Amino acid sequence: MSQTSQLQQYSTSAAQVGIASDQGAKIAPQNLSEVVRFAEVMCRADIALPKHLRGNAGACMAVALQAMEWDMSPFAVASKSYAVNGQIAYEAQLIAAVVNTRSGIQGRLRYAFEGEGDKLTCTVTGTLDGEEYSYQSPPVGAITTKNSPLWKTDPHQQLGYYSARAWARRYTPEVLLGVYDREEVQSFQGPDNAVDVTPSGAQRLAAKRAELAELQETEQQPAEPEEGFNLDLVEWVASEAAKDSENTENKS
C-alpha cells in the first residue's frame, strides 16, 4: 500500500473518532466502537509507538482505554509502556504522575528522605479530604527488585517513585487498579519466570551418600563402609535417573 493510500485510510478511520476542544483539541472517543477504530489507527503509527504495540490493535486499545481513565494522551501513555513477562507494564515516572493528578490529593505528594546508602528511606505524604496520610518505604537495601540503573546513579529518585506507588496502593488503590510498573511485574513469580528448585541427580546422589555415611556412623548399617560395588546405591541412582528422565519428558 502506498504512503498516500495509508494516509487516506488513517484519515478516514480517524474522522470516525470524536475530537473534543477545551483550551486545545484532544482525542475523545465517545463509545467502544470509537475506541476500537482509534486503536486500529494507533497500531499503525510505526515509530510513534514502542515496538510491542506496533501492529497490535488489541494492546493499543488497552493502552488507549487506560489513557482515557487518566485523561491523558494515548500516545504519551503508550510511550511509557513496556512488555514484561507477557503483560503490559508502565514506567514508574508515569505512575507517579498519575498519583499526583488522579488520586484526589490536595496539592502534590511530598517526599522526605532519611539515611544514606542501603539505609536510605523515603516518607511520602499526601493530603486527602483535609487529612494527611503518610507511607514510609523500607530501606533501599531491603528492596529486592532494583533493575533500573538509576537505583545506583540516582537512588533518591527511584525510591521516590517506589514510595509514591506504594502510597497510592495503600490509600487510593482504585487509581492504580490493575496497573503495575516494570519492577513490580519483574518481581512476580509465574510460569515464565519461575525458578526450578528441584535438586539435580548429582545433588541427590551426594545427599544419599551423606545419608548412608550417617547411618553407618550410628551403627544402623555395617560399621565399615563397603568398598567397590554397592548394589543398594546403584539401584537407588538408577531409580533417580529414571525419575529425572520422566520429569524431563513431562516438561517437554
Side-chain angles (χ1 to χ4, degrees):
M1 182 184 295
S2 68
Q3 186 174 10
T4 301
S5 299
Q6 287 180 329
L7 289 174
Q8 289 174 344
Q9 185 177 358
Y10 294 173
S11 299
T12 300
S13 298
Q16 297 172 333
V17 180
I19 302 294
S21 181
D22 181 12
Q23 297 181 346
K26 67 177 181 180
I27 298 169
Q30 300 300 307
N31 52 54
L32 183 60
S33 295
E34 288 190 359
V35 174
V36 171
R37 286 193 289 270
F38 175 75
E40 290 171 349
V41 175
M42 183 179 178
C43 76
R44 299 195 292 270
D46 196 27
I47 60 173
L49 288 176
K51 288 184 178 180
H52 64 277
L53 295 178
R54 297 174 193 173
N56 190 336
C60 284
M61 179 177 171
V63 170
L65 286 170
Q66 189 62 70
M68 289 171 59
E69 283 282 324
W70 293 333
D71 196 23
M72 292 181 171
S73 162
F75 282 96
V77 173
S79 70
K80 297 295 184 180
S81 71
Y82 301 86
V84 182
N85 293 337
Q87 69 182 84
I88 295 176
Y90 294 92
E91 193 170 310
Q93 181 190 55
L94 172 65
I95 291 179
V98 169
V99 175
N100 271 319
T101 59
R102 298 298 162 202
S103 62
I105 60 175
Q106 296 169 305
R108 305 175 77 81
L109 293 176
R110 302 189 300 279
Y111 302 83
F113 296 91
E114 294 182 6
E116 297 292 337
D118 283 347
K119 295 183 179 180
L120 178 67
T121 63
C122 176
T123 299
V124 172
T125 304
T127 303
L128 288 168
D129 300 323
E131 187 172 351
E132 288 192 345
Y133 296 88
S134 297
Y135 167 85
Q136 183 177 38
S137 74
V140 166
I143 299 174
T144 55
T145 305
K146 298 194 288 282
N147 294 318
S148 171
L150 289 178
W151 280 106
K152 292 183 178 180
T153 60
D154 195 355
H156 287 74
Q157 185 73 45
Q158 287 303 109
L159 188 58
Y161 286 151
Y162 176 100
S163 303
R165 183 189 71 222
W167 184 95
R169 296 246 184 258
R170 177 174 295 179
Y171 298 115
T172 58
E174 67 278 6
V175 177
L176 300 183
L177 191 63
V179 173
Y180 301 96
D181 79 2
R182 286 183 296 174
E183 291 189 340
E184 282 183 299
V185 176
Q186 288 164 342
S187 69
F188 296 160
Q189 289 295 317
D192 294 333
N193 59 355
V195 178
D196 185 0
V197 296
T198 304
S200 66
Q203 290 172 324
R204 292 199 299 274
L205 177 58
K208 185 65 174 178
R209 284 174 172 166
E211 180 185 339
L212 291 174
E214 184 178 351
L215 289 173
Q216 290 169 351
E217 289 176 0
T218 58
E219 298 183 352
Q220 294 181 31
Q221 292 287 332
E224 294 296 326
E226 297 180 12
E227 295 184 1
F229 186 78
N230 185 321
L231 180 59
D232 290 340
L233 186 59
V234 170
E235 290 178 347
W236 182 86
V237 170
S239 68
E240 292 301 304
K243 292 178 184 178
D244 283 344
S245 177
E246 183 178 351
N247 289 336
T248 301
E249 291 177 358
N250 290 337
K251 291 180 181 178
S252 61

